[in-house]
Amino acid sequence: MTHRNAEVILGWSLDGAPAPIGLPGLTTTIGPHGYLDLLGQWLGLTATVTPEAVRIGACLRTLCASPDGFWRAALEADPWAVARRVLAMRDALRLGGWAGEAEGAPPRIAELGRLDLPRDGIADRLQDVIEELRTRPDVRLPALTVLEPAEFWPGLWQTLFDVLRAHGVPVQDLALPSATGKGDLASWQRFVRGDGNAIAFQGDGSLTLLTGRNE
């Protein structure tokens, strides 16, 4: 059972990131993997996280055993990279809401649907949580604040947000503080929010652009 007055702040890149100082009590910041871990504990799910290298290795064995496929030529050149890429494609499609159907799908997706790829990625854990929540209408969960706008998250995550709302869990976007004044920072914020037009930078020091030579 969780505390109704608790709050979880969920961000796409917050897995492993330290929580900022000054958060209210019973508030935690967390990423997708961490949030699924919490939901799994609260719901009594015992699924373990499979290391990505193990999943890629299983995918590689499946691809090598398949007589053909769009990956075949590249597989001979760099088997591990191709297996990682194919698995990432499958996981991204699952997060987008694809349930693995091959019939009626475009050729490459149909080929993925016919493969027996590992079903222990984040999309599969997310689907398990959604299905369990649908059978537990009385479960109590803390409020959820999403760092990025909820509509920007993959389709399966949006399904989870809808299921949480159906359980009475407040799910809201993080209200960011507004920059005030007429400087570069305030001007840029108004522009990206659609509240104003872009204007020439003044170079007042309120906004800094960092660039790098590589990733």
Side-chain angles (χ1 to χ4, degrees):
M1 181 175 293
T2 58
H3 201 293
R4 273 292 189 178
N5 295 325
E7 180 182 6
V8 175
I9 298 176
L10 173 64
W12 190 253
S13 302
L14 292 183
D15 276 316
I21 297 174
L23 286 177
L26 299 176
T27 303
T28 186
T29 59
I30 207 164
H33 287 279
Y35 188 52
L36 286 180
D37 286 343
L38 280 181
L39 288 176
Q41 293 174 34
W42 293 333
L43 295 172
L45 300 177
T46 57
T48 58
V49 178
T50 303
E52 195 65 11
V54 176
R55 300 185 69 234
I56 295 172
C59 177
L60 178 56
R61 289 191 295 272
T62 299
L63 295 182
C64 290
S66 179
D68 55 16
F70 65 85
W71 56 82
R72 175 54 60 183
L75 189 68
E76 298 175 0
D78 192 340
W80 189 263
V82 171
R84 179 173 58 186
R85 177 59 179 162
V86 169
L87 188 59
M89 291 171 61
R90 180 262 178 197
D91 290 345
L93 287 168
R94 291 281 289 167
L95 280 176
W98 179 57
E101 306 92 344
E103 184 177 354
R108 289 196 172 191
I109 296 179
E111 290 181 8
L112 287 176
R114 288 190 288 267
L115 288 174
D116 185 20
L117 294 179
R119 292 178 171 82
D120 47 12
I122 187 171
D124 306 285
R125 297 175 60 210
L126 180 54
Q127 186 64 57
D128 290 343
V129 166
I130 291 172
E131 292 176 0
E132 182 68 18
L133 279 171
R134 284 173 170 162
T135 67
R136 306 270 296 276
D138 58 342
V139 69
R140 299 178 62 191
L141 296 171
L144 179 66
T145 297
V146 187
L147 186 60
E148 300 85 2
E151 63 267 24
F152 291 170
W153 285 67
L156 202 56
W157 278 99
Q158 294 188 37
T159 299
L160 173 65
F161 298 153
D162 290 340
V163 173
L164 290 173
R165 293 187 184 100
H167 280 68
V169 178
V171 179
Q172 60 186 0
D173 295 338
L174 182 66
L176 298 175
S178 298
T180 58
K182 299 181 179 179
D184 291 339
L185 178 60
S187 174
W188 178 250
Q189 188 180 74
R190 286 192 292 268
F191 171 67
V192 297
R193 289 182 173 178
D195 297 332
N197 297 324
I199 62 175
F201 287 122
Q202 304 174 34
D204 60 5
S206 63
L207 184 64
T208 301
L209 174 64
L210 301 179
T211 60
R213 295 180 180 177
N214 52 44
E215 294 182 359

